[in-house]
Amino acid sequence: MSIMKMKSWNATKGVDRAPNRSLFNALGVKDEELQGPVIGVANSWNELVPGHVHLREVSKAVKRGIAKKGLGLEFNTIALCDGIAMGHEGMKAPLPSREVIADSIELTSLAYQFDGLVLIASCDKIVPGMLMGAFRVNIPTIMVTGGPMLPGELNGEKMDYSTVFEALARYKEGKIDENELYAIQCNACPGAGSCAGMFTANTMACVTEALGVSLKDCATAHAVSGKKLRIAEKTGERAVELVKKGVKPSDILTSNSFENAMIVDLALGGSTNTVLHLLALAYEAGVDFGLEDIDRLSRKVPQLVDMSPGGPHRMIDLDRAGGVPAIMGELEKHIHLNELTVDGLLKGRLGKSRGEVIKTLENPVRGSSLVVLKGNLATDGAVIKTKGLAKDVYRGAARVFNGEEEAVATLDAGKIEEGDIIVIRYEGPKGGPGMREMLAATSRISGGRLDGKVALVTDGRFSGASRGAAVGHVSPEAAEGGPIAVVRDGDKIAIDLASRELNVDIDREEMEKRLKGWKRPKPKVEKGVLFRYSSLVSSANRGAVLK
């Protein structure tokens, strides 16, 4: 029994808490177990998401670790699969769900007065949502991410979720038949885990490890591996130690630790969604880290791994090459080594690369993997992933669409020409509402005849499975009266990676005239959670957090 005072005693200790203890007794909890530490185990297990379907077993391992010296009490959060929500109205839900998840962590922790938290999650919005809630309550916290999915394989070719989307584009152009498409569908995603490439889910797992809030090697330990369960049990043990030592997220989270996380993200060529999530996490942690810091880091950190989408490697290759520790070892001169993590100082986590998957700083895959753009079309910023780009400058006439469906229908009809700049607007956090991912649109381009020959600009965002010339997060968004709202068909747009500019060829006088004549459109949703979200959400350049 610990002699240190536990926060959970607010709900469990003393004669006045006999009614509270009676309800814990009803759960099968013994009085001596309530002496602490009492650890909340937040689990996003469900039967809806491949990345979560195995998390019951991960939770059992976590609770075995906690039970050696404490009590673990499990509760749940929601979890949505971006891939299943993709391409239809349901894609408006995932980003708002991040806030619901954060709120559920905060409220449950408040109600039960936990001494600490273990967060168990996979996938895009769930990992950052849990972390956001935990950073708000600021009690000792550690996360175990659920792990990647193994890659699929067909006829000796590795594949993953993005392979199916790009195969769909080839099918629509008559390059493969329905039987071939079906074979790819059946083989691309073989089982439990987060989709096998460096999409948002796996990028966020790597970022979480680099940030210092999960154990070493956690990010790349695969969902179906014994290694994942061993890490999960150690995570439970470590949660109790963090409580006893009083180590809170505020002790770990600094501007330097956020820089470390972004540096690893850049080296991995990760999803642009992590920009949204890191900005939101910094906001919740009260850390000064913004889009200008991401821009600064992106100018000096090269990409060291060529992962899917756009590259040949999957997470299994990165794991075998040494995972995040090996990436950080190669990045040692850029990393802040004396930052605290959940298991000691960061410098104790560095590893060495095994094989050729992780390149060196002297011989990288490419320079910057992500570029922050500004200009008269994005006065507050926009982002583009450089992986899969055919050139550094895209110039063309705007083809403007007030929503993704309209753009996809035009692409399917073959009515977009080489050199066009596709503009999809009113898809931002407020205007979507919910800032839908554009994988349906980007895969039509990257998987078909227009690959490398057109560009896409949007105030929406992209799946981590997207590749090609796709500029997202344009801020201010159209629904806030940003310049993208007044672009017209035929306006000349220039995307220049070297100068980091996104401009439309409209002079200041004409721009002011158009903006003055702009009228805010009627909200797409006028009740319920999406209406509430659109009323409160900030712009993408601030992480799309709720005001």
Side-chain angles (χ1 to χ4, degrees), residues 183-337:
I184 293 170
Q185 170 199 314
C186 292
N187 286 278
C189 299
S194 301
C195 298
M198 189 53 69
F199 311 143
T200 308
N202 289 322
T203 309
M204 277 307 305
C206 293
V207 163
T208 300
E209 184 177 330
L211 195 58
V213 290
S214 63
L215 291 178
K216 179 181 177 181
D217 295 322
C218 184
T220 59
H222 275 54
V224 295
S225 69
K227 181 180 178 181
K228 176 59 67 179
L229 297 179
R230 293 193 299 273
I231 288 173
E233 186 166 342
K234 289 179 182 177
T235 297
E237 294 172 6
R238 191 62 190 161
V240 176
E241 293 302 314
L242 291 171
V243 171
K244 290 182 175 180
K245 292 180 179 180
V247 178
K248 300 177 181 179
S250 57
D251 299 311
I252 294 171
L253 302 170
T254 66
S255 58
N256 284 345
S257 63
F258 274 92
E259 285 199 8
N260 287 341
M262 192 67 219
I263 287 167
V264 168
D265 186 348
L266 291 165
L268 292 169
S271 165
T272 52
N273 282 315
T274 54
V275 173
L276 278 178
H277 298 327
L278 273 174
L279 294 176
L281 291 174
Y283 171 81
E284 298 294 0
V287 173
D288 185 12
F289 181 81
L291 194 61
E292 63 281 356
D293 297 298
I294 294 173
D295 180 39
R296 171 175 51 82
L297 294 171
S298 73
R299 294 172 186 266
K300 69 176 185 178
V301 179
Q303 183 179 338
L304 301 184
V305 184
D306 201 9
M307 305 272 294
S308 173
H313 300 304
R314 268 71 182 188
M315 290 298 290
I316 192 68
D317 303 309
L318 180 60
D319 187 47
R320 290 167 178 165
V324 172
I327 288 280
M328 299 188 89
E330 187 57 44
L331 293 165
E332 184 173 355
K333 77 174 190 178
H334 293 302
I335 295 289
H336 303 284
L337 297 174

Side-chain angles (χ1 to χ4, degrees), residues 66-117:
I66 295 172
K68 295 172 184 179
K69 294 184 179 179
L71 172 66
L73 295 175
E74 186 175 0
F75 65 100
N76 290 96
T77 72
I78 64 169
L80 308 180
C81 180
D82 283 24
I84 292 174
M86 193 74 66
H88 55 81
E89 187 179 14
M91 194 64 233
K92 294 179 179 180
L95 189 57
S97 80
R98 186 186 72 176
E99 310 306 318
V100 175
I101 294 161
D103 290 349
S104 70
I105 298 293
E106 180 183 5
L107 291 172
T108 306
S109 299
L110 174 64
Y112 283 82
Q113 294 289 289
F114 293 132
D115 299 306
L117 283 169

Side-chain angles (χ1 to χ4, degrees), residues 303-306 313 330 353 356-365:
Q303 183 179 338
L304 301 184
V305 184
D306 201 9
H313 300 304
E330 187 57 44
S353 172
E356 299 298 319
V357 171
I358 300 172
K359 303 300 183 183
T360 65
L361 287 173
E362 294 73 29
N363 183 33
V365 173

Side-chain angles (χ1 to χ4, degrees), residues 48 111 149 238 266 314 347 463 470 522 530 541:
L48 302 173
M149 182 186 294
R238 191 62 190 161
L266 291 165
R314 268 71 182 188
K347 60 185 177 184
S463 164
K522 182 180 178 181
L530 291 180
N541 68 303

Side-chain angles (χ1 to χ4, degrees), residues 41 58-66 118 120 144 232-233 235-236:
V41 180
V58 175
S59 177
K60 288 178 183 177
V62 166
K63 288 188 287 184
R64 281 199 305 271
I66 295 172
V118 176
I120 306 172
V144 54
E233 186 166 342
T235 297

Side-chain angles (χ1 to χ4, degrees), residues 423-443:
V423 177
I424 303 178
R425 63 191 180 195
Y426 294 106
E427 290 286 9
K430 186 179 295 291
M435 203 180 186
R436 290 191 292 176
E437 293 181 341
M438 300 286 168
L439 185 56
T442 58
S443 62

